[in-house]
């Protein structure tokens, strides 16, 4: 087949979730929302839990790894230990997004050559139109690592001087890839500016980890009647359903890209 050049951007919509040690009830509730809307999702996993195991049984979900390479991480003491820890959580993982987007060229090539990761999603291009995936770590005739940037994230939107929580805002209407990333805790709290999350962390500090809190504890800090991450998430799913847009996992985006576009 004649392949297109990357100057013709993929016009797709996709959603990812960084689990980030969220409690099971938050993961389950988010998963239920995706299932009810018929929307695919790629989940980047940080820890083992029954809720994570339940995600594995849903064919509309892809599970990737979310290794934490920052100092003090509980995932291991060096790169290989950290990657291997995460791959025990998701042994068949083909995609990765590093926690806090920590990355280097040697690390990316190691993920591809030594651990058979096919897709990296650790490149954030906020509110950027007309971009496309790219490839790195070329070696002989092997398939390179495909990097899929994403252009919206809930916590970053919270930090903007004038965040937008309306999917119909013109800033979200552009040609090309539209990949949104959410965190279960920010959706649950309907976060707007990190004040809710900061207060929750202060309350549980030294008492329990985040993944141990229950619904009633979270409810103390939830903002149900304002526009925030939850209202944006809800509106996004509704818009996808209304427009009957096809959604994709990150591995599906990789396959589409490799099968459709010339590689440089």
């Amino acid at each position: 087949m004649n392949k297109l050049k990357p100057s013709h951007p993929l016009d797709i919509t996709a959603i990812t979730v960084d689990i980030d040690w969220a409690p099971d009830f938050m993961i389950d509730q988010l998963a239920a929302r995706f299932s009810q809307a018929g929307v695919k999702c790629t989940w980047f996993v940080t820890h083992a839990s029954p809720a994570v195991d339940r995600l594995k049984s849903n064919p509309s979900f892809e599970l990737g790894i979310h290794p934490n390479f920052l100092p003090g991480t509980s995932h291991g003491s060096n790169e290989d230990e950290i990657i291997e820890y995460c791959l025990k959580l998701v042994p068949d993982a083909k995609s990765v997004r590093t926690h806090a987007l920590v990355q280097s060229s040697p690390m990316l090539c190691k993920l591809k050559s030594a651990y058979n990761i096919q897709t990296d999603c650790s490149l954030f291009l906020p509110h950027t139109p007309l971009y496309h995936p790219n490839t790195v770590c070329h070696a002989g005739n092997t398939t390179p690592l495909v990097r899929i940037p994403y252009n919206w994230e809930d916590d970053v939107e919270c930090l903007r001087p004038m965040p937008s929580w309306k999917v119909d805002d013109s800033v979200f209407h552009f040609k090309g890839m539209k990949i949104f990333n959410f965190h279960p805790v920010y959706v649950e709290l309907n976060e707007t500016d990190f004040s809710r999350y900061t207060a929750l962390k202060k309350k549980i500090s030294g008492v329990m980890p985040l993944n141990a809190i229950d619904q009633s504890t979270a409810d103390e800090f939830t903002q149900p009647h304002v526009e925030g991450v939850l209202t944006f998430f809800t509106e996004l799913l509704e818009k996808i359903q209304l427009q009957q847009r096809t959604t994709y996992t990150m591995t599906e985006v990789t396959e589409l890209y490799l099968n459709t576009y010339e590689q440089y």
Side-chain angles (χ1 to χ4, degrees), residues 98-119:
T98 62
H99 185 60
L101 306 183
V102 174
Q103 58 195 275
S104 71
S105 294
M107 179 196 297
L108 292 173
C109 289
K110 177 188 291 186
L111 284 162
K112 176 64 176 66
S113 62
Y115 296 101
N116 199 33
I117 296 296
Q118 307 295 317
T119 307

Side-chain angles (χ1 to χ4, degrees), residues 7-258:
S7 57
H8 297 74
L10 291 172
D11 185 17
I12 64 169
T13 300
I15 300 179
T16 66
V17 171
D18 294 348
I19 291 180
D20 276 14
W21 300 274
D24 276 12
F25 77 89
M26 292 185 186
I27 298 171
D28 285 334
Q29 289 175 5
L30 209 55
R33 297 287 298 276
F34 282 118
S35 295
Q36 291 163 6
V39 172
K40 293 182 177 181
C41 177
T42 300
W43 303 74
F44 292 104
V45 175
T46 51
H47 64 288
S49 82
V52 170
D53 289 339
R54 287 188 283 273
L55 296 176
K56 296 176 182 178
S57 65
N58 191 319
S60 294
F61 296 156
E62 174 188 355
L63 272 63
I65 58 172
H66 196 48
N68 182 6
F69 295 104
L70 295 173
T73 176
S74 60
H75 284 172
S77 59
N78 58 59
E79 279 188 2
D80 289 291
E81 282 188 10
I82 292 167
I83 296 168
E84 289 165 8
Y85 175 92
C86 290
L87 285 173
K88 288 179 181 178
L89 303 174
V90 189
D92 58 349
K94 298 299 180 186
S95 59
V96 62
R97 174 178 292 132
T98 62
H99 185 60
L101 306 183
V102 174
Q103 58 195 275
S104 71
S105 294
M107 179 196 297
L108 292 173
C109 289
K110 177 188 291 186
L111 284 162
K112 176 64 176 66
S113 62
Y115 296 101
N116 199 33
I117 296 296
Q118 307 295 317
T119 307
D120 171 66
C121 305
S122 306
L123 184 59
F124 182 45
L125 304 175
H127 291 208
T128 302
L130 296 175
Y131 72 84
H132 53 76
N134 56 81
T135 57
V136 295
C137 306
H138 296 256
N141 294 322
T142 62
T143 303
L145 180 73
V146 175
R147 304 200 73 190
I148 302 176
Y150 63 109
N151 50 7
W152 189 91
E153 182 164 280
D154 51 9
D155 54 352
V156 174
E157 195 67 24
C158 287
L159 294 172
R160 287 182 173 274
M162 298 181 65
S164 174
W165 304 116
K166 290 290 189 182
V167 174
D168 284 336
D169 192 312
S170 61
V171 72
F172 303 117
H173 291 267
F174 48 75
K175 291 183 179 180
M177 298 174 68
K178 291 171 277 290
I179 299 182
F180 301 86
N181 186 50
F182 292 90
H183 299 79
V185 66
Y186 303 142
V187 176
E188 176 69 26
L189 300 180
N190 195 26
E191 187 59 274
T192 56
D193 58 7
F194 278 111
S195 61
R196 303 281 88 191
Y197 180 65
T198 300
L200 170 62
K201 291 286 284 185
K202 182 178 180 180
K203 176 173 181 174
I204 67 175
S205 178
V207 178
M208 67 181 78
L210 178 64
N211 64 2
I213 70 170
D214 58 16
Q215 181 75 66
S216 62
T217 301
D219 286 347
E220 296 178 37
F221 302 93
T222 299
Q223 305 180 96
H225 304 302
V226 301
E227 292 182 348
V229 175
L230 173 59
T231 57
F232 183 88
F233 175 78
T234 300
E235 190 176 314
L236 178 61
L237 294 191
E238 291 173 349
K239 183 69 67 174
I240 290 172
Q241 286 183 285
L242 181 65
Q243 296 178 347
Q244 297 183 319
R245 292 190 66 88
T246 300
T247 52
Y248 300 83
T249 66
M250 292 298 96
T251 290
E252 288 174 337
V253 176
T254 289
E255 292 171 351
L256 182 62
Y257 176 66
L258 291 175

